[in-house]
Amino acid sequence: MSRTNVRDPYTVLGIKKSSSADEIKKSYRDLAKKYHPDRNQGDKSAEHKLKEINAAYNFLNDAEKRRRFDAGEIDANGQETFSSYQQAYNYGANPSSRRGGASHFFDENDFVSEDIINELFGARKRRSNPSYGFESSGFSSRTQTNTTTTRDINYTLSIPFIEAALGSKRTIKLGENEEVAITIPVGTESNTKLRLKGKGQKARFGNAAGDAYILLHVEPHTFFTKEGRDIRCEVPISLTEAVIGGSIRVPTLSGSVEMKVPAGTQDGAMLRLKGKGIPASTTSAAGDQYVRLKITIPDTKDEELALFLKKWKAGLAFNPRKNAGLE
């Protein structure tokens, strides 16, 4: 089976190899917003691009995987490279390399099966087909041979922000044809790892199977952000609503609700919707939703509004900069 053609993750995210973890995350968030399905409905190229972006971020967000890729030990598929096998061979199979003797290089007779290399040196191996089900959500797997006779399989699963916040149940496909029901806990954070005991790769000689570990990655949302069990968002309001107050519709995790804007609201004011954050669990109370109000004026010139404000200014000697000590 041929390998999947995966692009360099740094190229996909448009960053340098020297980029910090925060820079990688920022680039990912910006691109994820740009290619999000809500903004590109029916655009197959944007859907494909988002899959690439998710896969690249998952790859670089794994510190060990990033280190091995930068060192040339694995490729962008997560598969061992020739140099990795050569290093393992020289260190483990050629005693002269440890005694300072002549170096041994591979020739055509030196190649052995990847399974044998894994058995000898514990080298990590990625399946030839890295994706099983949920491809649109970036579901992938990696088999790791342990020092024991069992083998664990590591999967990565990207889940939407709201699904992670509210929790859910879904069925995933392991391997070729095994379907397993999993529970996404309420308030799931990125890098949460789920364990499916005995669902890993079966070991040889009748030993017990390994476990399957699913690393969850929470996709960013275009509107909400999460802080602990609280949800934050920003909602635009008109100048009229800021001055005289009013009632507006505000999206929440569970649907839109009415929220009152007090008269005389300042730009940047923060209002709280109690209990509208992450739902309560057996160990934690429900979080709140904090709404930051942003006063927005029309893009087009409004002559009546301009005339009103001129008259209002003439009758109201109010200078906010002077009151703040800036003039």
Side-chain angles (χ1 to χ4, degrees):
M1 184 179 293
S2 61
R3 292 183 179 182
T4 304
N5 182 22
V6 178
R7 293 174 59 201
D8 184 305
Y10 292 103
T11 301
V12 173
L13 295 180
I15 55 176
K16 299 178 180 179
K17 281 193 174 183
S18 58
S19 298
S20 66
D22 287 341
E23 289 172 331
I24 292 174
K25 186 174 182 180
K26 181 180 184 304
S27 178
Y28 168 74
R29 288 176 64 89
D30 291 343
L31 290 171
K33 288 181 180 180
K34 180 179 179 180
Y35 293 100
H36 195 277
D38 291 347
R39 296 185 176 183
N40 303 273
Q41 293 186 7
D43 188 339
K44 294 296 183 182
S45 62
E47 181 181 339
H48 175 74
K49 183 69 176 178
L50 185 60
K51 291 180 186 178
E52 272 196 326
I53 293 165
N54 283 334
Y57 178 72
N58 289 336
F59 190 95
L60 296 179
N61 197 40
D62 186 322
E64 175 63 10
K65 193 180 293 184
R66 182 184 179 188
R67 181 197 69 76
R68 299 193 72 211
F69 177 75
D70 290 346
E73 296 176 10
I74 59 174
D75 61 19
N77 290 286
Q79 295 174 320
E80 305 289 342
T81 62
F82 176 86
S83 61
S84 176
Y85 289 135
Q86 180 175 338
Q87 181 182 12
Y89 182 89
N90 287 339
Y91 182 79
N94 184 11
S96 64
S97 66
R98 298 195 298 272
R99 296 194 303 266
S103 297
H104 178 87
F105 294 93
F106 277 86
D107 61 34
E108 63 182 2
N109 296 317
D110 287 325
F111 287 100
V112 293
S113 75
E114 191 172 333
D115 283 340
I116 294 176
I117 290 176
N118 285 337
E119 292 288 334
L120 289 174
F121 312 120
R124 288 182 178 177
K125 166 188 167 187
R126 188 179 180 90
R127 291 189 172 187
S128 58
N129 182 0
S131 202
Y132 297 104
F134 290 96
E135 293 182 359
S136 63
S137 296
F139 190 56
S140 60
S141 70
R142 175 167 56 84
T143 303
Q144 179 177 327
T145 303
N146 296 327
T147 55
T148 63
T149 55
T150 61
R151 290 183 177 181
D152 295 335
I153 301 179
N154 294 306
Y155 295 87
T156 298
L157 176 62
S158 291
I159 53 178
F161 181 93
I162 293 181
E163 182 179 349
L166 299 180
S168 71
K169 295 182 183 295
R170 62 159 70 186
T171 300
I172 61 173
K173 193 174 182 181
L174 301 180
E176 295 284 326
N177 46 29
E178 182 179 10
E179 292 189 343
V180 178
I182 63 171
T183 298
I184 308 298
V186 172
T188 290
E189 302 272 2
S190 271
N191 297 321
T192 296
K193 186 174 283 190
L194 305 180
R195 178 191 179 197
L196 302 178
K197 189 174 181 180
K199 295 299 182 180
Q201 185 174 350
K202 292 183 178 179
R204 299 176 181 178
F205 312 118
N207 291 294
D211 299 329
Y213 290 91
I214 303 176
L215 183 67
L216 301 178
H217 166 66
V218 179
E219 299 170 357
H221 196 272
T222 55
F223 185 68
F224 299 119
T225 58
K226 178 175 176 291
E227 291 185 10
R229 300 191 68 81
D230 294 331
I231 295 296
R232 293 182 179 271
C233 65
E234 183 177 86
V235 175
I237 60 173
S238 68
L239 181 61
T240 303
E241 290 167 331
V243 174
I244 65 177
S247 182
I248 62 174
R249 299 287 294 177
V250 176
T252 70
L253 295 176
S254 55
S256 297
V257 298
E258 291 282 339
M259 186 181 75
K260 290 187 176 181
V261 177
T265 292
Q266 300 289 327
D267 184 53
M270 193 78 72
L271 301 182
R272 182 178 71 151
L273 294 173
K274 189 175 181 180
K276 291 298 182 180
I278 303 299
S281 67
T282 55
T283 58
S284 303
D288 300 325
Q289 178 170 326
Y290 290 89
V291 181
R292 182 178 181 273
L293 300 179
K294 181 179 181 181
I295 298 175
T296 305
I297 62 174
D299 292 332
T300 56
K301 190 173 181 179
D302 188 327
E303 296 293 345
E304 291 185 7
L305 176 61
L307 180 60
F308 166 74
L309 291 176
K310 287 177 182 178
K311 292 181 178 179
W312 186 37
K313 179 181 178 181
L316 181 67
F318 174 65
N319 186 334
R321 292 172 298 282
K322 186 174 182 179
N323 287 1
L326 300 177
E327 291 185 3

